[in-house]
Amino acid sequence: MAFEYRDNDSPADVVWNTGSVTPEMRGRLKPHAGRCIWFTGLSGSGKSTLANVLEAELNRRGCHTMLLDGDNIRHGLCRDLGMSRADRSENIRRIGEVAHLFVESGLIVLTAFISPFARDRQQARSLFRPGEFQEVFVDTPLGLCEQRDPKGLYRRARAGEIHDFTGIDSPYEPPMQPELSLHATDSPQRHIEQLLALCLSGASDSAGSVG
């Protein structure tokens, strides 16, 4: 089944219900601001590894987090989707909506998805208020990703066993102005320092557990 995002495609009789508790009220119960850290990059670039390490460090500092990983999501929420361009766009649309709900609850949400298409990432960004969506480009060269190839996917794609594979026979559109670019030449420690600064900017001054 193919999906295509359309603006204003909600039925006319579906009306947004505004609750009594606002995101600001929820945020006051947290030691930090709710936000989405959106990791994007090629398969094997290190997105999931960085997201996992970052979440562990944020948890150690008393932050409330939720990690959305590409493979995990396809076991449940998006298990009905394939790997066509339309299905991958629908996958990212759903993730954006889920991430938005978590941010509304005051959590720091980390998403680790290839999300190869700029239009899909922009659509996700449009769900959030200014400053809530932080795009992190894990800028690892294709050659290095292929050397790592932790799942053997590049090898299978080169052999013609997998089609429409990002970086081989399907494009990856790198972010033009991400909030943060992480390069393979920098140390993992440097990456985490930069990510923590991004996550905790604007954290509550009264939160002794953060920092």
Side-chain angles (χ1 to χ4, degrees):
M1 179 178 182
F3 294 82
E4 181 179 355
Y5 178 81
R6 301 186 305 276
D7 292 334
N8 302 319
D9 60 355
S10 298
D13 58 347
V14 175
V15 179
W16 187 266
N17 177 38
T18 301
S20 300
V21 178
T22 66
E24 289 78 13
M25 293 167 67
R26 298 188 193 101
R28 286 196 288 271
L29 301 177
K30 307 287 187 186
H32 51 74
R35 63 190 58 198
C36 176
I37 308 299
W38 189 283
F39 290 88
T40 178
L42 293 169
S43 177
S45 61
K47 301 181 301 299
S48 293
T49 299
L50 284 168
N52 273 287
V53 174
L54 175 61
E55 186 180 35
E57 182 60 27
L58 288 169
N59 181 267
R60 188 185 69 79
R61 292 167 178 249
C63 297
H64 296 189
T65 61
M66 187 63 199
L67 172 59
L68 304 177
D69 181 78
D71 283 355
N72 294 353
I73 290 295
R74 282 186 175 271
H75 276 87
L77 177 66
C78 296
R79 66 185 303 173
D80 58 317
L81 300 178
M83 292 295 181
S84 68
R85 178 160 186 158
D87 278 7
R88 281 185 286 177
S89 292
E90 172 62 13
N91 184 54
I92 296 306
R93 188 194 70 80
R94 293 183 192 182
I95 298 312
E97 294 286 356
V98 170
H100 176 247
L101 292 174
F102 278 124
V103 170
E104 290 279 285
S105 75
L107 273 65
I108 297 176
V109 185
L110 314 175
T111 76
F113 296 83
I114 295 173
S115 45
F117 306 122
R119 179 181 182 274
D120 297 338
R121 297 193 302 268
Q122 182 56 43
Q123 173 57 38
R125 181 186 289 272
S126 73
L127 299 172
F128 297 86
R129 293 177 293 183
E132 287 183 340
F133 185 93
Q134 308 284 344
E135 189 174 39
V136 177
F137 178 29
V138 185
D139 188 7
T140 306
L142 175 61
L144 181 53
C145 293
E146 287 200 67
Q147 289 177 28
R148 294 173 175 173
D149 203 11
K151 303 174 187 175
L153 298 178
Y154 284 102
R155 175 184 55 78
R156 294 176 61 197
R158 292 290 188 188
E161 298 174 11
I162 301 177
H163 301 286
D164 297 321
F165 189 77
T166 302
I168 303 301
D169 56 354
S170 183
Y172 177 78
E173 300 170 357
M176 294 295 101
Q177 293 183 310
E179 276 72 22
L180 179 62
S181 290
L182 301 177
H183 304 285
T185 53
D186 292 335
S187 69
Q189 180 59 37
R190 173 59 176 159
H191 289 163
I192 295 303
E193 290 172 357
Q194 291 176 290
L195 287 166
L196 284 171
L198 188 68
C199 289
L200 300 179
S201 60
S204 172
D205 294 335
S206 63
S209 61
V210 175

